Amino acid sequence: MAARGTVKPFANFNASHDADVFYKAMKGLGTDEDAILTLIAARNNSQRQQIKLAYKSTYGKDLVDDLKSELGGKFETLVVALMTPPVSYDIYELRNAIKGGGTDEKVLIEILASRMASQIKEIATAYKSEYGSSLEDDITGDSSGHFMRLMVILLQANRQQGVDQGAIKTDAEGLFAAGEQKFGTEEETFITILGNRSAAHLNKVFDEYRKLSGFEIEESVQRETSGSLEELLLAVVKCARSVPAYFAESLYYGLKGAGTDDHTLIRIMVSRSEVDMLDIRAQFRKMFATSLYSMIKVLTTHIHATCALFLFSVTLYLTGHTSYSIMLSLMH
């Protein structure tokens, strides 16, 4: 999947040279934000980590701390996110979602429903190491009911592998009997099946469910559940069908309307820019009959123009790297 990102490794990479560029961009009065953007958009995360080491070795200072002192607002948020290793960024977002002012269930749902099993295990280990408490304990201490139970199941990252042909019809019938076929809903059945089966298996179940009930599984989830559990179940279903389509939809609704959901937009663009942004971009056009970059262009009226330029840049795929001059001319 890494080959489906739009941010690529820079071919002629030199960490010491890039550290010097960062230093000069922040030296003296004022900050050359364009130079920072041009550099950071043309390096992948692994290379950015090497630049951080070279910067500290050369100047005896922490690059991220210097960037924080020089930048501000949404652009600072974006740049710091880009300078953070992917797993560290995920656990930072999860921690803030749990320990901030009220639980941001949207962030919990997005990360835990979309990441692969190996990533979730790595996230859980890194979270415990960084914060001294288990991610499961923190989530269960901050949530309840069926939503909490499904979160715990997802955190186990222990889905069955492959497709169990003998269980496809049984699972579809179980979902139908737990929802549409009865008065009330047996949420436990939805949680157990959707939380434990592989994506490949679930897609077979969804096809069988449609034949059996006459409904798409999403329709039944929306009718049979509500609130945070509904949102989590829908995310699990959508990610089983297509992770890029799930993120394309999240981006669309984050961009649509009177106000832009900057937090969601930045989080998705940063976390998916090296993973599957090409597929997200294709799904976005297919689902919404417009391009992702054309919607992002209007962000210059909502957030820092330089921040908008980076978000625009990661939707492009220009011979393996971002052309800042082309980006700039298109944006203005």
Side-chain angles (χ1 to χ4, degrees), residues 105-114 139 143-155 159 190-191 194-195 221 225-240 246:
E105 293 171 343
K106 183 177 183 179
V107 174
L108 300 181
I109 291 169
E110 177 194 301
I111 294 175
L112 295 182
S114 67
I139 287 178
S143 59
S144 61
H146 298 296
F147 175 82
M148 179 192 72
R149 289 182 56 195
L150 181 51
M151 276 282 165
V152 170
I153 290 173
L154 295 177
L155 277 169
R159 288 182 180 273
F190 280 82
I191 290 169
L194 296 180
V221 168
T225 61
S226 62
S228 57
L229 176 62
E230 176 189 348
E231 294 301 315
L232 179 54
L233 287 170
L234 284 173
V236 170
V237 169
K238 290 173 182 178
C239 286
Y246 168 73

Side-chain angles (χ1 to χ4, degrees), residues 131-202:
Y131 300 114
S133 59
S134 76
L135 180 55
E136 181 178 328
D137 286 346
D138 284 353
I139 287 178
T140 56
D142 215 42
S143 59
S144 61
H146 298 296
F147 175 82
M148 179 192 72
R149 289 182 56 195
L150 181 51
M151 276 282 165
V152 170
I153 290 173
L154 295 177
L155 277 169
Q156 307 316 301
N158 195 33
R159 288 182 180 273
Q160 296 174 5
Q161 299 299 303
V163 177
D164 183 350
Q165 295 291 342
I168 293 172
K169 187 174 182 180
T170 303
D171 283 346
E173 290 174 342
L175 290 169
F176 185 49
E180 299 284 1
Q181 205 175 32
K182 70 189 297 289
F183 181 77
T185 307
E186 292 178 3
E187 290 88 350
E188 293 87 352
T189 301
F190 280 82
I191 290 169
T192 299
I193 293 174
L194 296 180
N196 285 290
R197 308 295 192 263
S198 71
H201 180 87
L202 285 175

